[in-house]
Amino acid sequence: MRKIKILAISTSGLARKEGISTVMLDNFSRFDKSTFDLHVVAAGVYCHELLQEFENVGVSIKCLPSRKASLLLYVKSLITLFKKEKYDALYIHGSSAIMSIELLIAKVCGCKTRVVHSHNTTCDHKKADKLLRPFFYNLYTDAIACGEEAGKWLYRGRPFFLLKNGRDVNKYRYNEEVRCETRKKLGVYEDELLIGHVGNFNKQKNQKFALEIFTELLKKNNKAKLYLMGSGILLDKTKKLAVEMGLKDKVTFTGSIGNVNEMLQAMDVMILPSLHEGLPLVTIEWQIAALPSVVSDVVTSECAYSDLVTFLPLDNAITWADKIVEVVKLNRSLIAEKQVELTKTAGYDINQNAMELQRFFKDRCKG
């Protein structure tokens, strides 16, 4: 039996492990490789460790020139790839109509199933997005969105398939032993309050405001510590700002780490002061881990399937600090199993999501 051959592309690239690449990896790792032949594009700069993770789960990597640095070379290489491999489906992830480039190539090369997956509620290049919208709507055959708002943003009233960004509930569920072990490794005392944030260092994630919130929190609890997990173009600038604000000994920059699930056990509360988001994966992980969180009110309310998430506007750091003090009074052990069940009921179990996605492609590519 011939396998269904799929080419997956993330318009945000594979330079680091972030939301979209994590969703792709987690879903594809659960695909039946006797039924599917999965390929992923790595255009331009890429993370070797991330590519190795894809290969370890049976996904083939196709390295192409950078989309941003040399669009013409990228287009030529992608055309060559489609003609050689004769894909049954293109599965492209992004947040704007700029995906029309890949969709047009796939259509011209005879790829009949062209699936778009929306991951955000806005985009960085609004002029290009607006210009390409009329073409975009005529180039894809199927639409997927991680949430209702992300679907409304990209498809503008057109039908789409809702596929939630599930997580591995066994990996993130709260574990008291792991909490104690991780805090011991971090060298923190039992009475210290640990605030966490996970995200790439860029304008969207708004780590500058996170530092402002933490400054106000220290006035209420001088035993608090802030852990900023992730990397990105604004990492060095944010480190410098922390020093200027007198927070050098209170803020830890972990960089990109592979044990975020363990770090979540050690934290007491999480913050997400983003300027915009689709449906953030991290909020799902935090709820599975029975962690209270304070999130900016521009983030879609769809991400909250339990009462552990509090939404606040980005206008007052003092309000955020007050809320952190309020929500942190929680016995996580008592609600650990409840949070796992809530996650499954809400549709955020990655095993179930991967099964749905496989059925989707089997149906679209049959024959």
Side-chain angles (χ1 to χ4, degrees), residues 187-204:
V188 299
Y189 296 103
E190 188 177 339
D191 63 345
E192 288 183 300
L193 176 65
L194 303 194
I195 316 301
H197 173 273
V198 181
N200 291 322
F201 281 77
N202 54 36
K203 183 179 179 181
Q204 173 190 343

Side-chain angles (χ1 to χ4, degrees), residues 217-277:
L217 179 63
L218 284 174
K219 297 176 183 178
K220 305 173 186 298
N221 186 338
N222 62 7
K223 292 186 177 181
K225 290 186 175 181
L226 176 64
Y227 285 79
L228 297 176
M229 294 167 254
S231 61
I233 57 174
L234 295 182
L235 176 58
D236 291 339
K237 184 176 181 179
T238 308
K239 285 183 177 180
K240 183 179 179 181
L241 179 60
V243 173
E244 293 172 353
M245 295 173 69
L247 301 174
K248 182 180 179 181
D249 297 329
K250 288 286 189 176
V251 180
T252 298
F253 295 86
T254 69
S256 295
I257 54 176
N259 67 330
V260 170
N261 57 312
E262 294 176 356
M263 288 292 287
L264 295 184
Q265 308 300 320
M267 297 298 113
D268 295 300
V269 63
M270 304 298 291
I271 56 175
L272 188 70
S274 299
L275 299 176
H276 61 85
E277 289 279 358

Side-chain angles (χ1 to χ4, degrees), residues 338-352:
K338 172 190 171 185
Q339 288 304 119
V340 169
E341 291 307 312
L342 283 174
T343 302
K344 292 180 178 180
T345 302
Y348 290 104
D349 181 351
I350 185 63
N351 292 312
Q352 182 60 39

Side-chain angles (χ1 to χ4, degrees), residues 317-332:
I318 297 175
T319 304
W320 280 64
D322 289 338
K323 182 57 67 173
I324 288 171
V325 172
E326 177 186 332
V327 302
V328 77
K329 300 170 184 177
L330 174 73
N331 188 329
R332 293 166 67 186

Side-chain angles (χ1 to χ4, degrees), residues 77-322:
S77 299
L78 191 57
I79 290 172
T80 301
L81 181 61
F82 268 102
K83 288 183 177 179
K84 177 185 176 183
E85 298 290 348
K86 296 179 172 55
Y87 291 106
D88 297 298
L90 167 67
Y91 183 26
I92 183 165
H93 302 251
S95 58
S96 78
I98 298 174
M99 290 183 282
S100 297
I101 297 169
E102 288 83 0
L103 291 168
L104 178 59
I105 291 170
K107 184 175 183 178
V108 170
C109 292
C111 181
K112 294 182 179 180
T113 302
R114 301 176 298 278
V115 184
V116 178
H117 196 144
S118 176
H119 287 271
N120 215 320
T121 55
T122 187
C123 67
D124 294 329
H125 307 286
K126 289 187 171 62
K127 289 184 178 179
D129 171 64
K130 185 178 180 180
L131 181 66
L132 290 169
R133 288 268 177 162
F135 305 98
F136 174 73
Y137 295 129
N138 288 300
L139 288 172
Y140 69 76
T141 60
D142 298 275
I144 298 177
C146 66
E148 292 289 348
E149 295 304 315
K152 290 176 183 177
W153 151 255
L154 191 57
Y155 307 122
R156 301 289 169 88
R158 294 166 179 83
F160 60 88
F161 171 56
L162 180 62
L163 184 73
K164 295 183 178 181
N165 290 340
R167 313 304 297 130
D168 186 336
V169 294
N170 293 319
K171 180 178 180 180
Y172 290 97
R173 72 167 68 212
Y174 180 67
N175 185 306
E176 185 71 23
E177 290 183 10
V178 175
R179 173 181 171 83
C180 293
E181 291 171 6
T182 307
R183 286 176 74 98
K184 185 177 180 180
K185 290 177 183 177
L186 294 174
V188 299
Y189 296 103
E190 188 177 339
D191 63 345
E192 288 183 300
L193 176 65
L194 303 194
I195 316 301
H197 173 273
V198 181
N200 291 322
F201 281 77
N202 54 36
K203 183 179 179 181
Q204 173 190 343
K205 297 299 182 181
N206 200 17
Q207 281 94 351
K208 178 178 179 294
F209 190 61
L211 294 179
E212 294 173 9
I213 295 167
F214 186 61
T215 298
E216 296 299 330
L217 179 63
L218 284 174
K219 297 176 183 178
K220 305 173 186 298
N221 186 338
N222 62 7
K223 292 186 177 181
K225 290 186 175 181
L226 176 64
Y227 285 79
L228 297 176
M229 294 167 254
S231 61
I233 57 174
L234 295 182
L235 176 58
D236 291 339
K237 184 176 181 179
T238 308
K239 285 183 177 180
K240 183 179 179 181
L241 179 60
V243 173
E244 293 172 353
M245 295 173 69
L247 301 174
K248 182 180 179 181
D249 297 329
K250 288 286 189 176
V251 180
T252 298
F253 295 86
T254 69
S256 295
I257 54 176
N259 67 330
V260 170
N261 57 312
E262 294 176 356
M263 288 292 287
L264 295 184
Q265 308 300 320
M267 297 298 113
D268 295 300
V269 63
M270 304 298 291
I271 56 175
L272 188 70
S274 299
L275 299 176
H276 61 85
E277 289 279 358
L279 200 156
L281 284 177
V282 291
T283 58
I284 309 304
E285 296 169 355
W286 301 344
Q287 288 172 91
I288 298 171
L291 256 177
S293 62
V294 185
V295 177
S296 65
D297 63 359
V298 300
V299 177
T300 174
S301 59
E302 292 177 76
C303 74
Y305 57 85
S306 73
D307 57 7
L308 293 181
V309 184
T310 300
F311 296 92
L312 288 179
L314 293 167
D315 57 1
N316 193 323
I318 297 175
T319 304
W320 280 64
D322 289 338

